Amino acid sequence: MAARMEPEAGPEAHVVRRFEPLAVLAVASEAFPVVKTGGLADVIGSLPKALLSQGIATRTLIPAYPIVLAGCRDREAVGQMSLLGEDVTIWAGHCNELELLLVDCPALFDRRGGPYLDEQGNNYQDNWRRFALLSAAAARIAAEGVEGWRPDVVHLHDWQAGLAAAYIRAAGLDIPTVLTIHNLAFQGQFPASVFPALGLPSHFFHVDSLEYYGDISFLKAGIRLSDAVTTVSPTYAREILTEEQGMGMAGVLQSRRSVLSGIVNGIDEDIWNPLTDPYIPENYDLQSIERRRANRDAVERFFGLTPGDGAILSVISRLTWQKGIDLLAPVVPGLIDRGARLIVIGEGDPAIVYGLAEQARQHSGRVVVHLGFSEESAHRLHAGSDIVVQPSRFEPCGLTQLYALRYGAIPIVARTGGLAETVIDANEAAIAAGVATGFQFHPGSIEDLYHAIDRALTAFDNSQSWRRLQTRAMRTGFGWGRSADRYARLYRQLVGGRAEAAQREG
């Protein structure tokens, strides 16, 4: 369906855009609020709502994990199919303004662990089969629809959905596909021995399709076979074309450079709103920012920090090398000497956790390490911390710094990916221009991280300059509006291109 753009009658300068409706099938392995392991779920849960204003209705296809079925009780069966030798039920339901389609295959998704890992923290050995089934279901729905509904575009997210591009291509379907890479480090790479069980024609085991260094890669299939490839910030789109950050895929991505673009993520400003947030003790906004102090006091009590006037730094992250968390332990003594305190929540690499736990033991009441994650804790920390630290070695976009800005917690971020795009460093020129919103440092450098922390603590000691920094941060807008418009334009460009090609052939 081609978009129709019509100017409003009369001499007014503004233009009202009226679009023909477009139907999109989003395919992903998780979606907030029904299942979440990271920022992917937040994006999948919030982008469809933003697209509605663009005339685009999205239905989101995810696996029917037990937690999903429990959180989406108001559902009805809309399809039965056999895929990869398994009987599958497709459920339709609603949750938090999301229109969901659930792929129910108990043999593959009814597990006591998480979406990807078992109860011992190990990858399920049949993850290749589980997410091949999700992808095959997406292709079947694209071909046959459900209860009369068929998508105009299929939007695939990360490796777990990447194989859908192959199934759609194998079926000869004339429907555009978009693949969004949320993190290139996760590629869905499996032994070539599983290829026959995927049910794809033999020619798909090829360097121009699934084959990847003698194995297969679901993500590579999506990159090679989708009509458009996006990632979650323009900077990351450039970075992944290099050998340093291409994670072995730089050549593959270079071959699709003409259809690769970066669209920065947004946040759901209804859920992440300090004025209405139900998780925080005291609501506030830019006009009542002094009430934020009550949330700071609550964080001290909740996490067992020794009360004080020194800055509270927080880290809300997977505790991994990619996230740069190994850089933290060496800088803890320095920030403690400056009178600051540190709260870390998350889970990850045992060696990194041990190093941080040792700092917590040595600095009881000044350093707290809380293993695990909860939405409530994340909201509390954004509302009550003074500073949020994201020392990632690479970061496709990052959402934590966007939440921090929204809540007036000043971010310290590595100068990489979306972090570099969304936080303006408080250097002298930016401060003089009145545009600074946080602090940047060179990724991977302990010395530069400490220098950024030192600069932030110096600014914190000046209450007037700190308030100005908070004010600029909270005025920064990172809702989905602009990015949703870019996705909508991409969808319509692809659909329009298909229509024009069909007319030429006709």
Side-chain angles (χ1 to χ4, degrees):
M1 301 179 186
R4 182 177 69 248
M5 300 179 61
E6 300 174 355
E8 190 177 51
E12 291 84 2
H14 67 280
V15 173
V16 174
R17 293 187 295 173
R18 300 183 181 90
F19 292 115
E20 292 182 7
L22 205 63
V24 171
L25 177 67
V27 188
S29 55
E30 54 186 87
F32 181 84
V34 288
V35 57
K36 173 179 175 177
T37 69
L40 169 65
D42 286 338
V43 173
I44 303 305
S46 57
L47 177 56
K49 183 166 65 173
L51 287 169
L52 283 173
S53 65
Q54 305 286 334
I56 293 171
T58 305
R59 301 186 82 169
T60 303
L61 183 73
I62 61 173
Y65 313 114
I67 192 173
V68 170
L69 293 174
C72 188
R73 296 183 182 277
D74 181 21
R75 61 182 188 274
E76 61 175 339
V78 293
Q80 299 283 339
M81 55 187 69
S82 178
L83 298 169
L84 306 184
E86 302 285 352
D87 293 329
V88 175
T89 300
I90 303 296
W91 299 91
H94 298 80
C95 186
N96 240 40
E97 302 180 67
L98 278 182
E99 289 210 31
L100 294 173
L101 293 172
L102 311 179
V103 182
D104 191 5
C105 179
L108 297 182
F109 298 125
D110 188 3
R111 307 280 171 92
R112 296 183 64 180
Y116 321 114
L117 308 177
D118 62 23
E119 292 179 295
Q120 287 72 48
N122 300 312
N123 285 310
Y124 295 117
Q125 291 301 302
D126 60 350
N127 270 345
W128 65 271
R129 187 173 182 81
R130 300 169 76 234
F131 295 108
L133 185 96
L134 173 68
S135 294
R140 183 71 64 86
I141 291 170
E144 301 176 1
V146 287
E147 293 195 320
W149 179 91
R150 284 186 63 195
D152 300 299
V153 176
V154 180
H155 191 161
L156 315 174
H157 294 270
D158 267 351
W159 75 262
Q160 293 91 344
L163 202 60
Y167 286 120
I168 287 171
R169 185 71 64 90
L173 300 179
D174 187 26
I175 183 169
T177 53
V178 178
L179 171 75
T180 294
I181 302 169
H182 295 261
N183 192 332
L184 187 62
F186 302 100
Q187 300 179 354
Q189 186 172 352
F190 301 102
S193 59
V194 309
F195 178 80
L198 298 177
L200 288 165
S202 60
H203 65 266
F204 278 80
F205 187 73
H206 188 273
V207 68
D208 290 332
S209 186
L210 275 73
E211 191 274 332
Y212 186 60
Y213 296 108
D215 291 336
I216 61 171
S217 166
F218 287 22
L219 184 66
K220 183 184 176 184
I223 294 171
R224 288 293 308 167
L225 301 176
S226 294
D227 296 286
V229 180
T230 72
T231 191
V232 290
S233 73
T235 297
Y236 192 59
R238 294 190 297 271
E239 290 173 343
I240 60 177
L241 293 172
T242 67
E243 291 299 325
E244 293 77 15
Q245 295 205 45
M247 300 288 174
M249 287 277 187
V252 177
L253 289 159
Q254 287 280 1
S255 73
R256 304 303 322 279
R257 189 169 191 162
S258 64
V259 298
L260 172 66
S261 62
I263 301 175
V264 71
N265 281 338
I267 64 173
D268 189 324
E269 293 184 314
D270 293 330
I271 293 175
W272 291 92
N273 183 353
L275 190 59
T276 58
D277 193 330
Y279 290 122
I280 65 177
E282 186 75 23
N283 293 115
Y284 64 96
D285 62 6
L286 194 56
Q287 283 67 48
S288 56
I289 195 172
E290 68 281 354
R291 284 156 47 185
R292 197 176 187 278
R293 176 74 196 207
N295 295 305
R296 192 176 186 275
D297 295 341
V299 161
E300 287 180 337
R301 294 191 300 270
F302 186 81
F303 288 96
L305 283 182
T306 301
D309 292 327
I312 298 175
L313 287 73
S314 67
V315 174
I316 309 154
S317 175
R318 296 197 311 275
L319 309 182
T320 62
W321 180 89
Q322 181 221 317
K323 297 294 185 178
I325 307 303
D326 57 303
L327 306 176
L328 282 175
V331 305
V332 167
L335 68 89
I336 295 298
D337 287 345
R338 292 291 307 271
R341 291 151 299 160
L342 174 66
I343 301 169
V344 179
I345 68 168
E347 52 193 0
D349 187 294
I352 293 175
V353 171
Y354 176 82
L356 290 170
E358 182 63 17
Q359 292 296 328
R361 186 188 66 78
Q362 294 179 23
H363 304 286
S364 179
R366 307 303 298 265
V367 177
V368 173
V369 178
H370 180 80
L371 297 182
F373 174 84
S374 73
E375 286 294 317
E376 179 179 1
S377 292
H379 283 249
R380 280 177 175 267
L381 281 176
H382 282 102
S385 300
D386 300 299
I387 297 166
V388 172
V389 184
Q390 280 181 274
S392 304
R393 283 184 168 82
F394 64 93
E395 191 66 61
C397 178
L399 295 175
T400 298
Q401 82 280 10
L402 305 184
Y403 302 146
L405 291 166
R406 175 85 160 144
Y407 279 63
I410 302 305
I412 296 176
V413 301
R415 193 177 299 111
T416 186
L419 301 179
E421 291 185 9
T422 54
V423 176
I424 300 174
D425 183 67
N427 55 54
E428 289 186 8
I431 292 171
V435 296
T437 58
F439 299 85
Q440 294 186 3
F441 71 97
H442 185 75
S445 170
I446 294 172
E447 181 181 358
D448 212 29
L449 169 59
Y450 180 75
H451 180 57
I453 291 173
D454 186 64
R455 288 195 294 137
L457 294 179
T458 298
F460 179 80
D461 289 339
N462 184 323
S463 59
Q464 289 186 337
S465 66
W466 192 256
R467 181 57 57 86
R468 287 194 294 270
L469 197 56
Q470 285 182 307
T471 298
R472 287 193 293 270
M474 293 182 70
R475 283 177 175 161
T476 304
F478 283 106
W480 271 108
R482 185 177 300 174
S483 297
D485 179 73
R486 287 199 60 192
Y487 277 118
R489 289 175 183 271
L490 175 61
Y491 297 154
R492 290 196 160 90
Q493 177 185 351
L494 294 173
V495 171
R498 281 285 203 279
E500 289 173 7
Q503 288 176 353
R504 287 195 299 270
E505 292 175 4

